[in-house]
Amino acid sequence: MKFVSWNVNGLRAVMKKGFTDVLDELDADFVCIQETKAQPEQIESYTDNYPYQYINSAKRKGYSGTMVLCKKEPLSVKYGINVPEFDDEGRIITLEYPEFYLVTVYTPTSGDGLMRLDYRLAWDEAFGNHLKSLDKPVMVCGDFNVANDEIDVPYPDMMQGTAGFSDEERESFKENLLSSLVDTYRVLHPTKIQYSWWSYRGQARQNNVGMRLDYWLVSNDLKDKIVDSKILDDVYGSDHCPIMLDIDI
């Protein structure tokens, strides 16, 4: 089965940049989208190829938000994690299927000067507990707003302590997520340098000065079922590119 995750940085904006053509070309079984920045009534239906569509929008308009497009109907759908302080921004959707749970997440950034770091670390713990509470193998994807390894950023010494590459965020990612899940990209590409996000400033994407912030993580039980895990950095339309997981499940 093929799964795609993409932080589109505004669904209405990416719709004008060939979004549906990308979906048609990739022809994934599931498409997980982060940072929709839209309310349900502002989002088009994709019923031709994806008859099942689930949306979790932020209460604040034009901000955050997640969505999942599916070819197969889930057994259940859960929005958020039942923690009020974390559930107002539409950042999590959990779908249940007979063999697995599929979770998409848009993790909050720590912000300039790590001003939101405490909130971010509390989020990581709450989200990790949510994943550990699920009673089937888990596949979780999205923009985690952290670069786990030094090879996931271009200048690790210079970037140390900045949002997405602080010791606190990286340790939290390892403790709350990688303690029970595996990074599918690193399973197949342990030393490859490739990014999934680039700033809009300073021709960062043209110069390939970015960060690997987007992941497909799966339960250890699914590690041997991974067929492929790719960063599709030839796809444009957002400051992030899509990432794809092919898994035999």
Side-chain angles (χ1 to χ4, degrees), residues 170-219:
R170 294 168 67 201
E171 287 304 315
S172 179
F173 184 62
K174 291 178 174 68
E175 178 181 348
N176 292 294
L177 295 171
L178 296 185
S179 60
S180 58
L181 303 167
V182 296
D183 177 354
T184 63
Y185 183 80
R186 284 288 170 240
V187 168
L188 299 182
H189 313 288
T191 60
K192 187 174 182 178
I193 296 175
Q194 197 173 13
Y195 307 128
S196 66
W197 171 85
W198 304 261
S199 170
Y200 282 132
R201 303 173 184 172
Q203 296 186 322
R205 187 154 187 176
Q206 294 90 320
N207 296 319
N208 198 29
V209 178
M211 301 174 73
R212 189 172 74 99
L213 302 178
D214 303 85
Y215 300 79
W216 272 104
L217 309 178
V218 302
S219 299

Side-chain angles (χ1 to χ4, degrees), residues 101-161:
Y101 285 95
L102 173 63
V103 184
T104 189
V105 62
Y106 176 37
T107 301
T109 178
S110 294
D112 293 339
L114 303 180
M115 293 182 64
R116 213 184 185 194
L117 179 61
D118 289 344
Y119 179 88
R120 161 61 186 270
L121 297 180
W123 161 281
D124 283 350
E125 183 176 0
F127 182 58
N129 288 338
H130 167 64
L131 297 179
K132 291 168 187 174
S133 74
L134 302 176
D135 58 0
K136 298 175 186 178
V138 177
M139 292 185 287
V140 54
C141 68
D143 175 4
F144 288 84
N145 263 314
V146 64
N148 183 48
D149 298 315
E150 288 195 352
I151 59 173
D152 294 325
V153 297
Y155 308 113
D157 292 339
M158 184 184 304
M159 297 178 68
Q160 176 63 40

